[in-house]
Amino acid sequence: MEKFTTLEGVAAPMRIINIDTDRIIPKQYLKTIKRTGLGKGLFSEMRYNDDGSENPEFILNQPAYRNAKILVVGDNFGCGSSREHAPWALADFGIRCVISTSFADIFFNNCAKNGILAIVVSPEDLEKLFQDAERGANATLTIDLAAQTIKGPDGGTLHFDIDEGRKHNLLNGLDEIGLTLDQKAAAIEAYEAKLAQREWA
């Protein structure tokens, strides 16, 4: 998993509450178990018209936000079904950080397992970030995970809280398997060596 240390990039504002995982990646894209290629389906029902052409009104189709790395979104983002394809699609598009006042629990955990930093902020701080994001491509945000800060385009800084275990894993690029190998590799190797010496009937 790619390490998350600092991220500087354009933030796309989506002032919509209760965006569920089916809106993030609709069901027709769930036939694959590959983590790549899903970016094309991200928000497809909002992003494309019925004829397949781009909806120019959708935020990620606008020139200022086509290369957004951060989403600033409304309350309860990622609700609905537990599909892991949702963070896969975000990551494949290039989104590394999502900021909201709240997330659905399963989506929140799936983000961390896939290298995406989901940040919870107060409604007041979210409004400040919306205002920054709405300024377009010249107003980038800088996320510093080690310092747990979000720096705005004018130098203002917000602090965010994060579980220490989640922070450690993201900083070091460790998913659950990587964490196990990182912490238990010696014990696993010793156990495997012991098994190899055992005589089986």
Side-chain angles (χ1 to χ4, degrees):
M1 193 169 74
E2 185 180 351
K3 294 180 180 181
F4 192 113
T5 52
T6 59
L7 174 69
E8 181 177 1
V10 171
M14 296 182 67
R15 287 182 179 268
I16 306 170
I17 63 169
N18 302 321
I19 294 180
D20 64 28
T21 52
D22 189 55
R23 293 185 83 182
I24 297 171
I25 185 74
K27 60 185 180 300
Q28 61 267 31
Y29 295 95
L30 306 187
K31 298 174 185 177
T32 181
I33 57 171
K34 294 181 180 179
R35 300 185 184 201
T36 57
L38 290 169
K40 65 183 179 184
L42 182 68
F43 300 119
S44 68
E45 293 179 354
M46 294 187 284
R47 196 165 146 202
Y48 304 111
N49 298 315
D50 290 341
D51 63 1
S53 62
E54 288 189 351
N55 171 12
E57 300 299 316
F58 183 64
I59 193 72
L60 295 179
N61 290 336
Q62 296 174 18
Y65 300 106
R66 282 189 177 274
N67 297 311
K69 297 179 181 178
I70 302 163
L71 288 182
V72 181
V73 296
D75 190 57
N76 197 30
F77 188 78
C79 55
S81 65
S82 61
R83 63 191 67 172
E84 196 167 1
H85 291 68
W88 291 356
L90 288 165
D92 192 59
F93 183 85
I95 302 296
R96 294 294 317 280
C97 180
V98 186
I99 306 170
S100 181
T101 50
S102 68
F103 297 90
D105 288 343
I106 295 174
F107 174 82
F108 186 72
N109 289 325
N110 281 341
C111 279
K113 293 175 184 178
N114 289 280
I116 297 173
L117 175 61
I119 298 175
V120 177
V121 296
S122 69
E124 295 76 19
D125 284 346
L126 187 70
E127 180 56 34
K128 294 174 186 175
L129 294 168
F130 269 132
Q131 291 176 12
D132 283 339
E134 286 165 352
R135 292 164 59 182
N138 293 324
T140 59
L141 299 181
T142 302
I143 316 294
D144 186 329
L145 178 53
Q148 297 177 212
T149 58
I150 306 169
K151 186 176 180 180
D154 297 326
T157 301
L158 302 175
H159 181 272
F160 63 89
D161 294 322
I162 186 171
D163 173 80
E164 282 300 319
R166 189 183 305 271
K167 178 179 178 179
H168 171 83
N169 291 351
L170 286 165
L171 283 171
N172 292 282
L174 299 173
D175 59 13
E176 290 173 327
I177 295 173
L179 179 63
T180 300
L181 292 174
D182 181 60
Q183 295 182 345
K184 304 293 184 181
I188 292 169
E189 289 171 5
Y191 178 77
E192 292 290 338
K194 185 178 179 181
L195 278 184
Q197 294 172 2
R198 185 173 178 179
E199 292 184 9
W200 297 90

